[in-house]
PDB file of all heavy atoms in Angstrom:
ATOM      1  N   THR B  10       2.128   5.844   9.025  1.00 96.00           N
ATOM      2  CA  THR B  10       2.400   4.897  10.106  1.00 96.00           C
ATOM      3  C   THR B  10       1.315   5.016  11.164  1.00 96.00           C
ATOM      4  O   THR B  10       1.067   6.109  11.672  1.00 96.00           O
ATOM      5  CB  THR B  10       3.771   5.196  10.769  1.00 96.00           C
ATOM      6  OG1 THR B  10       4.766   5.210   9.742  1.00 96.00           O
ATOM      7  CG2 THR B  10       4.119   4.147  11.806  1.00 96.00           C
ATOM      8  N   ILE B  47      -6.202  15.728  -4.736  1.00 97.00           N
ATOM      9  CA  ILE B  47      -5.956  17.168  -4.566  1.00 97.00           C
ATOM     10  C   ILE B  47      -4.989  17.646  -5.648  1.00 97.00           C
ATOM     11  O   ILE B  47      -3.975  16.981  -5.923  1.00 97.00           O
ATOM     12  CB  ILE B  47      -5.348  17.451  -3.161  1.00 97.00           C
ATOM     13  CG1 ILE B  47      -6.210  16.803  -2.065  1.00 97.00           C
ATOM     14  CG2 ILE B  47      -5.193  18.947  -2.935  1.00 97.00           C
ATOM     15  CD1 ILE B  47      -5.671  16.994  -0.656  1.00 97.00           C
ATOM     16  N   VAL B  78      -5.708  15.327  10.737  1.00 97.00           N
ATOM     17  CA  VAL B  78      -5.607  16.163   9.542  1.00 97.00           C
ATOM     18  C   VAL B  78      -4.227  16.795   9.417  1.00 97.00           C
ATOM     19  O   VAL B  78      -3.722  16.958   8.296  1.00 97.00           O
ATOM     20  CB  VAL B  78      -6.710  17.237   9.469  1.00 97.00           C
ATOM     21  CG1 VAL B  78      -8.081  16.596   9.313  1.00 97.00           C
ATOM     22  CG2 VAL B  78      -6.675  18.146  10.676  1.00 97.00           C
ATOM     23  N   LEU B  98       0.270  18.852 -10.563  1.00 97.00           N
ATOM     24  CA  LEU B  98       0.521  17.602  -9.839  1.00 97.00           C
ATOM     25  C   LEU B  98      -0.747  17.189  -9.095  1.00 97.00           C
ATOM     26  O   LEU B  98      -1.410  18.020  -8.477  1.00 97.00           O
ATOM     27  CB  LEU B  98       1.658  17.829  -8.832  1.00 97.00           C
ATOM     28  CG  LEU B  98       2.198  16.575  -8.117  1.00 97.00           C
ATOM     29  CD1 LEU B  98       2.998  15.704  -9.081  1.00 97.00           C
ATOM     30  CD2 LEU B  98       3.078  17.000  -6.930  1.00 97.00           C
ATOM     31  N   ARG B 106      -9.353   0.294   5.823  1.00 98.00           N
ATOM     32  CA  ARG B 106      -9.536  -0.353   7.119  1.00 98.00           C
ATOM     33  C   ARG B 106      -8.362  -1.281   7.436  1.00 98.00           C
ATOM     34  O   ARG B 106      -8.298  -1.850   8.529  1.00 98.00           O
ATOM     35  CB  ARG B 106     -10.869  -1.107   7.151  1.00 98.00           C
ATOM     36  CG  ARG B 106     -11.504  -1.198   8.532  1.00 98.00           C
ATOM     37  CD  ARG B 106     -12.923  -1.825   8.476  1.00 98.00           C
ATOM     38  NE  ARG B 106     -13.809  -1.125   7.590  1.00 98.00           N
ATOM     39  CZ  ARG B 106     -14.507  -0.035   7.928  1.00 98.00           C
ATOM     40  NH1 ARG B 106     -14.452   0.421   9.155  1.00 98.00           N
ATOM     41  NH2 ARG B 106     -15.258   0.575   7.045  1.00 98.00           N
ATOM     42  N   ALA B 151     -30.904   5.682   4.621  1.00 97.00           N
ATOM     43  CA  ALA B 151     -30.143   4.429   4.505  1.00 97.00           C
ATOM     44  C   ALA B 151     -28.638   4.697   4.534  1.00 97.00           C
ATOM     45  O   ALA B 151     -27.941   4.549   3.538  1.00 97.00           O
ATOM     46  CB  ALA B 151     -30.551   3.721   3.199  1.00 97.00           C
ATOM     47  N   GLN B 170     -18.388   5.792 -16.601  1.00 98.00           N
ATOM     48  CA  GLN B 170     -17.561   6.568 -17.545  1.00 98.00           C
ATOM     49  C   GLN B 170     -17.185   5.736 -18.764  1.00 98.00           C
ATOM     50  O   GLN B 170     -17.180   6.229 -19.893  1.00 98.00           O
ATOM     51  CB  GLN B 170     -16.317   7.124 -16.840  1.00 98.00           C
ATOM     52  CG  GLN B 170     -16.690   8.237 -15.842  1.00 98.00           C
ATOM     53  CD  GLN B 170     -15.497   8.861 -15.158  1.00 98.00           C
ATOM     54  OE1 GLN B 170     -14.483   8.194 -14.929  1.00 98.00           O
ATOM     55  NE2 GLN B 170     -15.612  10.125 -14.783  1.00 98.00           N
ATOM     56  N   ALA B 176     -20.156   4.967 -25.884  1.00 97.00           N
ATOM     57  CA  ALA B 176     -21.256   5.584 -26.629  1.00 97.00           C
ATOM     58  C   ALA B 176     -20.794   6.860 -27.337  1.00 97.00           C
ATOM     59  O   ALA B 176     -21.614   7.591 -27.896  1.00 97.00           O
ATOM     60  CB  ALA B 176     -22.422   5.891 -25.684  1.00 97.00           C
ATOM     61  N   PRO B 241     -34.248  19.853 -10.698  1.00 98.00           N
ATOM     62  CA  PRO B 241     -34.902  18.883 -11.573  1.00 98.00           C
ATOM     63  C   PRO B 241     -34.178  18.793 -12.923  1.00 98.00           C
ATOM     64  O   PRO B 241     -33.685  19.820 -13.439  1.00 98.00           O
ATOM     65  CB  PRO B 241     -36.312  19.448 -11.751  1.00 98.00           C
ATOM     66  CG  PRO B 241     -36.505  20.384 -10.599  1.00 98.00           C
ATOM     67  CD  PRO B 241     -35.140  20.951 -10.325  1.00 98.00           C
TER      68      PRO B 241
END
Side-chain angles (χ1 to χ4, degrees):
Chain B
T10 305
I47 308 179
V78 294
L98 188 71
R106 210 174 303 276
Q170 290 182 329

